[in-house]
């Protein structure tokens, strides 16, 4: 089993690249953003609580997303590996994930960190707002807030995984296919090292 974290700021292309990676490697895709949007669509109490935070660019509480991930891990015992997208977003989430994986006798194989400059991120979110229908994409103040939360709470997650030498930085500007090729090259290398 090979598990991967696709890491990077909002708008760095995690969702786009995840779609291509799950097709190629048959990973089980776990995106906490998608899981939360599905709760919102079903109008569950959890979804309603999450929506008000997401619309402000704030994070949903750690225990909520950790619970969702724990449930998803239990429900998918026979997979090739997991691709975590948008999770972990805090050091506490990373520590919880390590424990959950350890309990299942597995671990993170690599953290691929997409590097994109801030102004490019804002322009991508502005563009995405035109088609995504996501209320958290539409407002520039919310976008700035998400980037601020990312720098404060999420960037430290990279340092957590640097301790075990798992982080590989990837240039996130360029064509979707070129970035996908870079990601695939690293994954193939890491996978061959892990067997
Ligand atoms: P993006 O594609 O911009 O990175 P996501 O779809 O991953 O955004 O997440 C959208 C929103 O959902 C976040 O701004 C946050 O409010 C919430 N969210 C998603 N994943 C997490 C998480 N792991 N921890 C806390 N909040 C989360």
């Amino acid at each position: 089993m090979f598990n991967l974290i696709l890491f990077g700021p909002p708008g760095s292309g995690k969702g786009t690249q995840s779609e291509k990676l799950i097709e190629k490697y048959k990973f089980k895709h776990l995106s906490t953003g998608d899981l939360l949007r599905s709760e919102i669509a079903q109008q569950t109490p959890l979804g309603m609580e999450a929506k008000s935070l997401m619309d402000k660019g704030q994070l949903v509480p750690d225990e909520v997303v950790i619970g969702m991930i724990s449930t998803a891990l239990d429900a998918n015992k026979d997979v090739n590996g997991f691709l975590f997208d948008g999770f972990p977003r805090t050091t506490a989430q990373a520590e919880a994930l390590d424990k959950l994986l350890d309990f299942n006798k597995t671990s993170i194989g690599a953290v691929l960190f997409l590097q994109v400059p801030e102004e490019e991120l804002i322009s991508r979110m502005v563009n995405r707002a035109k088609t995504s229908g996501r209320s958290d994409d539409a407002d520039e103040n919310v976008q700035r807030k998400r980037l601020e939360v990312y720098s404060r709470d999420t960037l430290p997650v990279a340092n957590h995984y640097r301790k075990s030498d798992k982080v590989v930085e990837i240039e996130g500007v360029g064509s979707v296919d070129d970035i996908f090729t870079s990601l695939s090259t690293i994954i193939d290398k890491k996978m061959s090292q892990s067997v």
Side-chain angles (χ1 to χ4, degrees):
M1 190 165 181
F2 184 85
N3 307 299
L4 190 72
I5 295 173
L6 196 52
F7 190 77
S12 58
K14 300 186 297 290
T16 305
Q17 295 296 336
S18 289
E19 292 307 320
K20 295 174 74 72
L21 291 170
I22 54 172
E23 192 180 334
K24 175 164 183 184
Y25 294 97
K26 312 293 173 205
F27 293 126
K28 173 69 188 170
H29 184 204
L30 291 183
S31 155
T32 38
D34 287 352
L35 292 170
L36 289 166
R37 280 185 288 276
S38 147
E39 296 280 340
I40 294 172
Q42 293 167 55
Q43 301 192 326
T44 65
L46 189 159
M48 294 301 96
E49 190 199 323
K51 183 174 175 10
S52 65
L53 293 164
M54 290 163 78
D55 283 350
K56 287 187 265 188
Q58 291 169 0
L59 294 182
V60 172
D62 285 337
E63 54 275 22
V64 172
V65 287
I66 292 166
M68 291 192 322
I69 290 289
S70 173
T71 305
L73 293 181
D74 285 344
N76 294 281
K77 292 279 187 198
D78 295 318
V79 297
N80 272 340
F82 292 98
L83 192 169
F84 298 97
D85 161 11
F87 179 91
R89 245 180 169 91
T90 63
T91 304
Q93 291 177 23
E95 287 166 354
L97 177 63
D98 289 347
K99 285 199 188 115
L100 287 170
L101 293 177
D102 196 44
F103 185 74
N104 288 303
K105 309 245 175 310
T106 182
S107 63
I108 292 297
V111 178
L112 305 188
F113 187 171
L114 290 168
Q115 308 284 315
V116 180
E118 179 157 331
E119 285 318 305
E120 168 79 12
L121 297 171
I122 297 272
S123 91
R124 287 188 192 178
M125 281 189 262
V126 170
N127 268 323
R128 185 165 73 179
K130 294 176 192 153
T131 52
S132 70
R134 277 176 53 170
S135 43
D136 61 342
D137 279 341
D139 180 326
E140 185 155 343
N141 291 327
V142 175
Q143 292 161 7
R144 296 251 172 228
K145 179 74 191 169
R146 274 155 75 193
L147 292 175
E148 187 189 310
V149 169
Y150 169 79
S151 300
R152 189 189 63 207
D153 297 335
T154 306
L155 254 186
V157 172
N159 289 334
H160 171 87
Y161 289 107
R162 279 196 182 103
K163 288 182 205 150
S164 48
D165 220 15
K166 291 191 170 146
V167 180
V168 182
E169 297 184 358
I170 310 261
E171 173 66 56
V173 183
S175 80
V176 169
D177 284 342
D178 285 349
I179 297 165
F180 179 62
T181 303
S182 307
L183 291 169
S184 299
T185 305
I186 302 290
I187 293 171
D188 291 340
K189 187 169 146 213
K190 290 276 179 184
M191 275 181 157
S192 69
Q193 289 168 351
S194 77
V195 285

